[in-house]
Amino acid sequence: MGPRSDLRLALLNPWQRDFPLVREPFAHIATSLGMAPDEVLAGYARLQGEGALSRIGGVFAGNAGGAALLAAMAVPPERLDAVAAVVSSHPGVNHNYQREHHYNLWFVMTGQDDAAVRAAMQSLEETTGLIALHLRMLRAYRIDLGFDLRERTAPAPMAAALAAQPVAEADRPLAALLEDGLPLTPRPYDTWAQALGRTPESVLQTLQQWLDEGTLRRIGAIVRHHELGFDANAMTVFNIPDAQVDAFGEALAREPGVTLAYRRERAEGWPYNLYCMVHGRDRAAVHEVIARAIADVGLAPYPHEVLFSCRRFKQTGPRRFRALPAATAPEVLDALAG
C-alpha cells in the first residue's frame, strides 16, 4: 500500500464516526496524524473530488425527521437507461441502483415529510409510465455503513439502531446543513453558526446532544464504498411471519458482515418484509457472509432472494431536512421520449 493509499485510509477509516466536535476539527485530526491542518483539509478536498468521500456529515436515525421510501421498478431492459436517468434527475432521490432481478431499478426517495415523498413518487410514476413498489420502512435493526475499510466485508457487528429523539423544529436548519456536509474550512462549525445566527458553542452542543440521544447515528466521513474497493453489494430479502420478524431482524443485525438490517412493508407481488445488506470487495465474500448469517440466525426455512447491484446510477446524501428544488430536467425527459 503506497503513501497516498495510507493517507486515504488515515483520513477516512478512523473518522467515519466520532468526528471531532471542536472549533478546529481538522487541526485536531492533523495533530493526531502529525500533519499540518492545511494538508488535512487538502486531503479531504482531494478525496471528495475523487468521489471516495461523499461528505463529512451526519447519519440521522430513521425517525429523526423527514421521510424516506425505498422503491423498486420493473423496467423493460431497453428503457432502463432512460428511466434511470429520469429517476436520478429527481433531487429527492439519493440512491439509485440497478439490481439483478425482475425488479431491476431500486431507489430511495427522500423528502421533508410523507406528503412530499408521495407527491414525488407520483410524479416519477406518471413521467415514466411505470408503477413502483413502495416499501416503507417499519423498523430499523441496524443502519450504519461506517466499517473498517481494510477488510473484505464489515468485520464485526455494528451498533444496533436504537430509539431516537426527533429533531426539534427550531433545529431543522442545522440538520439541513449537517445533511449537506461540513464545509472544508478551518472552523466549519463557526461557518454554520454564522449562517444560523447562533454561537459555535450552541451548534456543537446541539450536535453532541443529537449523538447522545440517538438522533444521530454518527458524525463523520461518509464514504462511497464503491470507490474504495467495496464494489460488490447484495440486498437479501426474506418472507418472515410478522410475529417472528423482529426476533430474526435483531439477530441478523448482530451478524458480522451485515451492514444494514430492517423491516419493511410488503407490497402486492412482493411478499418480503425482512431486508439485510452486505457490502464486500468481491461477490464471493458477500456470498460467504449471507450464507453464514442465514445459517447462524436460522433463516434457511424461509423464502428469500439475493439481489446483487450491478450498476450505480446515483449516490448522494438524503434530503430529509432540505426543501426539494424543481425535479426532472427537460433534456432528461427528451431522452426518455426518445
Side-chain angles (χ1 to χ4, degrees):
M1 186 176 292
R4 186 156 180 171
S5 296
D6 289 343
L7 178 59
R8 171 186 280 200
L9 271 178
L11 291 177
L12 296 180
N13 209 37
W15 302 109
Q16 294 178 81
R17 61 185 71 252
D18 300 326
F19 196 80
L21 292 181
V22 295
R23 296 284 291 278
E24 297 186 352
F26 299 107
H28 179 95
I29 293 172
T31 298
S32 74
L33 296 176
M35 297 171 60
D38 286 350
E39 292 179 280
V40 168
L41 282 165
Y44 280 122
R46 184 170 61 249
L47 289 168
Q48 203 161 34
E50 294 171 355
L53 174 66
S54 173
R55 66 195 183 284
I56 297 172
V59 176
F60 283 94
N63 60 343
L69 178 73
L70 177 66
M73 287 178 169
V75 185
E78 66 276 10
R79 295 187 62 204
L80 183 61
D81 285 355
V83 171
V86 171
V87 170
S88 293
S89 74
H90 195 289
V93 171
N94 68 316
H95 286 185
N96 186 21
Y97 283 80
Q98 179 187 356
R99 294 194 177 278
E100 298 170 351
H101 195 271
H102 168 67
Y103 286 104
N104 52 357
L105 191 66
W106 290 77
F107 57 96
V108 177
M109 178 66 75
T110 63
Q112 291 185 304
D113 52 41
D114 286 332
V117 169
R118 285 196 300 270
M121 286 301 304
Q122 182 178 348
S123 171
L124 279 184
E125 289 174 332
E126 290 174 353
T127 300
T128 62
L130 297 167
I131 302 300
L133 298 176
H134 292 205
L135 304 167
R136 189 169 63 90
M137 186 182 294
L138 298 177
R139 182 176 168 189
Y141 306 108
R142 183 166 75 196
I143 297 184
D144 190 350
L145 282 171
F147 58 83
D148 194 333
L149 300 171
R150 297 168 296 185
E151 305 290 341
R152 289 176 73 208
T153 61
M158 290 178 285
L162 305 175
Q165 294 294 320
V167 171
E169 188 66 31
D171 288 329
R172 289 179 71 90
L174 175 59
L177 290 172
L178 186 59
E179 199 174 53
D180 203 31
L182 209 65
L184 297 180
T185 58
R187 289 194 163 195
Y189 305 114
D190 288 36
T191 302
W192 283 356
Q194 185 174 7
L196 297 170
R198 297 175 58 166
T199 66
E201 291 77 13
S202 77
V203 166
L204 292 168
Q205 182 180 14
T206 298
L207 295 176
Q208 185 61 58
Q209 181 179 341
W210 284 347
L211 288 169
D212 293 342
E213 294 178 347
T215 301
L216 276 171
R217 299 297 179 216
R218 61 185 170 104
I219 295 177
I222 312 298
V223 304
R224 303 181 84 207
H225 292 92
H226 190 278
E227 280 75 6
L228 294 167
F230 288 83
D231 51 8
N233 79 73
M235 179 180 72
T236 306
V237 294
F238 302 87
N239 182 359
I240 306 294
D242 290 342
Q244 299 169 261
V245 65
D246 284 342
F248 280 119
E250 290 166 4
L252 196 57
R254 293 191 291 268
E255 284 293 309
V258 171
T259 47
L260 308 173
Y262 36 78
R263 178 183 181 183
R264 293 189 179 277
E265 287 182 338
R266 295 180 173 93
E268 185 177 351
W270 186 257
Y272 305 107
N273 60 343
L274 178 61
Y275 294 62
C276 81
M277 288 291 305
V278 176
H279 292 70
R281 293 192 179 278
D282 54 74
R283 290 174 73 106
V286 172
H287 275 301
E288 288 171 14
V289 171
I290 295 169
R292 173 176 44 75
I294 288 174
D296 288 352
V297 177
L299 288 165
Y302 300 96
H304 74 275
E305 295 191 60
V306 179
L307 289 73
F308 272 90
S309 68
C310 45
R311 260 199 297 177
R312 181 186 63 188
F313 295 110
K314 185 178 184 181
Q315 181 189 352
T316 63
R319 297 192 73 102
R320 289 164 54 190
F321 297 98
R322 295 172 289 163
L324 293 178
T328 312
E331 60 270 19
V332 179
L333 291 175
D334 292 342
L336 184 62

